[in-house]
């Protein structure tokens, strides 16, 4: 497989040796480049996902979706971004101005932070800590604070109710998410994101095949909990538009609302990306143990595999969103605490037994 | 090196938000009137503040969350070592899990998981 770290090592050598820059300048240039790449990827994916959501939603409802702006409406999202940018940034009189201003920062930090953990290709991760998966859950939980502060600082009764609902839902589902990741960590024996993917290279080595029953259960629970973490689908209680106007971002105008919109779609991508990385092999190609087939599959670049699998999971989550009706708060909490959580604990013990006695493939 | 990258990522997020805010401030219109400063609720003037005590159920779940979230934190280092220790790993974490499951069962029995 092509190793992207060749490119980064080459670039580092170019700065240090060919151009003769010192430590400080080369690291500064590299960091700026990383930042620009993250922003570019973030923006491109947001535009793709918003357009995809509109079209998928439309086709599920037997409509055509946006068709007017450009061919098949592909410029609709650009028009919307422009519209958001030229709207006034406005604060309600009685809002808590400081918290109101800080909240979008926390949401975007959580979203960009988790986004940069994703392994795009062999050797192409931005953040590759040895405690990767653990830090990832830690960073993702900053988003809860952002959503809660946004609702609370707005001083709007709907927003406060929404903030409470959002907080209780997000913290509840965070546990299932964590337990599912632990189930995967037991099987791979490492928390490093690149290590988890490398353990899945090879014939029938994706965790969902390797860990058979417990891994499949963990994958499904992860999708449910991830959908709830991304505040989408049947779990969009926090912004239930028919009862709470728009929930925690009712009082945000223009770009302030835009950040929440952006974060919601990127969180969807991040959840699908983590599900892909941990259970579906990340950039690892489909290998079935027949040499000719594997050789052809290995020729396809890792990023194509990663994006392909991730968008398949994104499509699955969109399907779920536009199919199921919204749940009530008591149903959401019951689902998590009485079904998913005990299931996750049993699944954890099951996986431990399978790994301890070597009953996996 | 990874610490620097982590700071870079956080700064990137901050730059994104600040940049978009600055652009919106520069090209957006500005106007004010008292009705615009009202919260978007029902169309009639809002009474009192919204910062009132909420349903206690939310806090109960938050407390339960604290307990089980700490549990998942403790499980991470153990999960990395399972494949090295084999069946011993299950014995060593068994008691810990047992206490936690007992805690969940107790909360369940006491009705802390019901939404009233």
């Amino acid at each position: 497989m092509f190793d992207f770290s060749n490119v980064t090592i080459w670039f580092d050598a170019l700065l240090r040796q060919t151009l003769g820059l010192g430590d400080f300048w080369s690291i500064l240039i590299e960091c700026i480049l990383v930042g620009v790449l993250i922003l570019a990827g973030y923006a491109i994916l947001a535009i793709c996902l918003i357009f995809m959501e509109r079209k998928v939603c439309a086709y599920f409802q037997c409509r055509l979706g946006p068709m007017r702006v450009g061919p098949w409406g592909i410029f609709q999202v650009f028009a919307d971004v422009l519209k958001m940018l030229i709207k006034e940034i406005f604060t309600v009189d009685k809002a808590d101005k400081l918290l109101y201003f800080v909240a979008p920062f926390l949401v975007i930090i959580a979203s960009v932070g988790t986004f940069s953990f994703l392994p795009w290709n062999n050797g192409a991760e931005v953040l590759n800590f040895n405690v990767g998966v653990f830090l990832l859950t830690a960073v993702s939980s900053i988003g809860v604070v952002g959503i809660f502060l946004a609702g609370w600082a707005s001083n709007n009764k709907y927003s406060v109710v929404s903030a409470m609902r959002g907080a209780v839902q997000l913290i509840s589902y965070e546990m299932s998410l964590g337990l599912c990741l632990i189930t995967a960590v037991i099987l791979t024996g490492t928390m490093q994101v690149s290590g988890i993917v490398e353990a899945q290279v090879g014939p029938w080595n994706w965790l969902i095949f390797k860990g058979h029953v417990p891994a499949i259960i963990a994958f499904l629970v992860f999708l449910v909990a991830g959908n709830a973490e991304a505040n989408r689908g049947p779990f969009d209680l926090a912004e239930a538009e028919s009862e709470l106007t728009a929930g925690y971002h009712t009082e945000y105008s223009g770009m302030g609302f835009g950040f929440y919109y952006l974060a919601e779609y990127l969180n969807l991508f991040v959840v699908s990306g983590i599900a892909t990385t941990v259970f579906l092999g990340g950039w690892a190609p489909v290998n079935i143990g027949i040499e000719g087939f594997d050789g052809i599959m290995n020729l396809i670049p890792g990023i194509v595999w990663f994006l392909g699998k991730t968008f398949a999971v994104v499509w699955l989550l969109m399907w779920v969103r536009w199919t199921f009706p919204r749940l009530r708060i008591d149903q959401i909490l019951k689902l998590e605490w009485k079904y998913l959580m005990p299931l996750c604990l049993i699944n954890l013990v099951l996986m431990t037994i399978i790994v301890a006695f070597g009953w996996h493939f | 090196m990874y610490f620097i990258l982590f700071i870079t990522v956080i700064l990137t997020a901050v730059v994104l938000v600040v940049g978009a805010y600055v652009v919106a401030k520069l090209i957006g219109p500005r106007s004010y009137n008292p009705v615009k400063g009202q919260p978007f609720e029902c169309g009639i003037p809002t009474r009192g503040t919204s910062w009132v005590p909420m349903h206690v159920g939310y806090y109960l779940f938050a407390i339960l969350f604290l307990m089980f979230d700490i549990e998942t934190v403790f499980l991470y280092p153990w999960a990395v070592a399972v494949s090295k220790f084999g069946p011993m790993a299950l014995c060593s974490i068994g008691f810990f899990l047992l206490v936690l499951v007992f805690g969940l069962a107790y909360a369940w029995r006491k009705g802390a998981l019901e939404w009233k």
Side-chain angles (χ1 to χ4, degrees):
Chain A
M1 290 294 293
F2 170 71
D3 191 352
F4 191 80
S5 58
N6 291 337
V7 178
T8 48
I9 290 168
W10 167 79
F11 189 75
D12 192 55
L14 179 79
L15 287 180
R16 280 170 201 270
Q17 280 143 30
T18 317
L19 296 179
L21 296 175
D23 248 5
F24 175 76
W25 286 107
S26 47
I27 287 178
L28 186 71
I29 290 173
E30 281 162 17
C31 283
I32 290 172
L33 193 69
V34 164
V36 170
L37 283 177
I38 289 175
L39 279 188
Y42 198 82
I44 291 169
L45 278 172
I47 286 166
C48 292
L49 284 164
I50 292 172
F51 185 68
M52 181 179 166
E53 168 98 315
R54 286 183 175 170
K55 281 294 185 190
V56 169
C57 151
Y59 284 116
F60 272 108
Q61 297 171 344
C62 299
R63 295 185 285 120
L64 286 174
M67 288 297 276
R68 303 275 170 132
V69 191
W72 300 286
I74 49 174
F75 296 124
Q76 182 70 52
V77 183
F78 295 95
D80 285 351
V81 171
L82 197 67
K83 189 191 97 178
M84 266 177 203
L85 272 177
I86 60 175
K87 289 262 175 182
E88 183 183 359
I89 303 273
F90 189 76
T91 319
V92 184
D93 282 344
K94 286 186 185 151
D96 188 324
K97 299 278 191 308
L98 176 69
L99 298 184
Y100 183 89
F101 179 68
V102 166
F105 281 90
L106 296 174
V107 173
I108 291 286
I109 284 174
S111 171
V112 174
T114 45
F115 179 69
S116 44
F117 276 95
L118 297 179
W120 297 91
N121 198 343
N122 194 3
E125 305 91 351
V126 178
L127 298 179
N128 195 16
F129 288 91
N130 53 1
V131 288
V133 174
F134 179 52
L135 192 64
L136 200 153
T137 47
V139 172
S140 80
S141 56
I142 298 174
V144 185
V145 185
I147 285 176
F148 186 76
L149 284 187
W152 184 259
S154 294
N155 201 353
N156 177 328
K157 292 180 181 70
Y158 293 135
S159 299
V160 176
V161 172
S162 154
M164 284 290 182
R165 281 186 186 181
V168 79
Q169 173 193 329
L170 291 183
I171 60 176
S172 295
Y173 280 86
E174 211 171 278
M175 281 176 323
S176 292
L177 216 64
L179 286 173
C180 289
L181 288 176
I182 289 174
T183 315
V185 168
I186 290 174
L187 193 55
T188 53
T190 174
M191 283 196 264
Q192 198 166 16
V193 176
S194 65
I196 288 178
V197 180
E198 266 154 31
Q200 302 180 65
V201 179
W204 299 112
N205 246 359
W206 295 3
L207 282 201
I208 200 163
F209 300 135
K210 198 177 176 190
H212 49 90
V213 178
I216 290 170
I217 294 174
F219 177 64
L220 295 178
V221 173
F222 186 91
L223 283 188
V224 174
N227 210 1
E229 273 301 283
N231 246 326
R232 288 172 52 82
F235 305 102
D236 58 348
L237 265 188
E239 47 171 307
E241 67 273 5
S242 49
E243 23 180 322
L244 300 176
T245 55
Y248 53 88
H249 51 56
T250 306
E251 299 298 354
Y252 280 85
S253 67
M255 215 46 219
F257 164 75
F259 294 131
Y260 290 97
Y261 199 56
L262 205 66
E264 187 195 321
Y265 282 97
L266 260 297
N267 284 344
L268 167 68
F269 182 81
V270 168
V271 162
S272 315
I274 296 167
T276 303
T277 308
V278 173
F279 295 102
L280 300 182
W283 47 260
V286 180
N287 281 5
I288 56 169
I290 301 168
E291 210 164 290
F293 183 81
D294 291 357
I296 293 170
M297 288 297 148
N298 288 347
L299 284 181
I300 300 173
I303 188 161
V304 175
W305 282 110
F306 178 75
L307 285 179
K309 289 181 218 173
T310 308
F311 273 98
V313 179
V314 165
W315 186 78
L316 190 69
L317 291 182
M318 284 181 179
W319 186 3
V320 169
R321 173 174 185 177
W322 294 107
T323 305
F324 289 104
R326 185 181 297 133
L327 299 174
R328 282 200 318 261
I329 181 86
D330 61 323
Q331 291 167 331
I332 279 193
L333 292 172
K334 194 169 149 193
L335 174 67
E336 163 62 20
W337 289 91
K338 292 192 177 170
Y339 296 100
L340 294 187
M341 173 85 172
L343 181 65
C344 277
L345 285 172
I346 293 167
N347 196 27
L348 189 80
V349 174
L350 192 65
M351 182 61 107
T352 316
I353 292 170
I354 282 176
V355 171
F357 293 101
W359 290 340
H360 55 79
F361 291 122
Chain B
M1 187 62 206
Y2 282 125
F3 183 70
I4 299 175
L5 274 175
F6 193 58
I7 300 289
T8 311
V9 167
I10 289 174
L11 281 181
T12 309
V14 173
V15 164
L16 170 66
V17 179
V18 170
Y21 259 146
V22 167
V23 171
K25 273 273 179 205
L26 285 180
I27 63 179
R30 243 172 279 178
S31 72
Y32 178 79
N33 62 56
V35 178
K36 205 170 161 187
Q38 294 274 318
F40 186 86
E41 278 173 13
C42 305
I44 52 170
T46 309
R47 296 188 59 175
T49 173
S50 308
W51 296 323
V52 290
M54 297 297 285
H55 193 297
V56 72
Y58 296 111
Y59 300 98
L60 285 182
F61 279 100
I63 291 167
L64 276 178
F65 158 76
L66 273 186
M67 183 172 91
F68 285 98
D69 204 43
I70 299 290
E71 164 220 337
T72 50
V73 171
F74 280 126
L75 282 177
Y76 270 107
W78 163 79
V80 176
V82 168
S83 47
K84 289 187 203 92
F85 288 105
M88 247 334 269
L90 193 59
C91 306
S92 54
I93 206 70
F95 186 69
F96 180 65
L97 280 179
L98 209 66
V99 172
L100 273 162
V101 170
F102 182 72
L104 184 65
Y106 181 75
W108 197 328
R109 185 81 191 278
K110 280 281 176 187
L113 304 184
E114 309 292 331
W115 185 263
K116 286 187 286 280

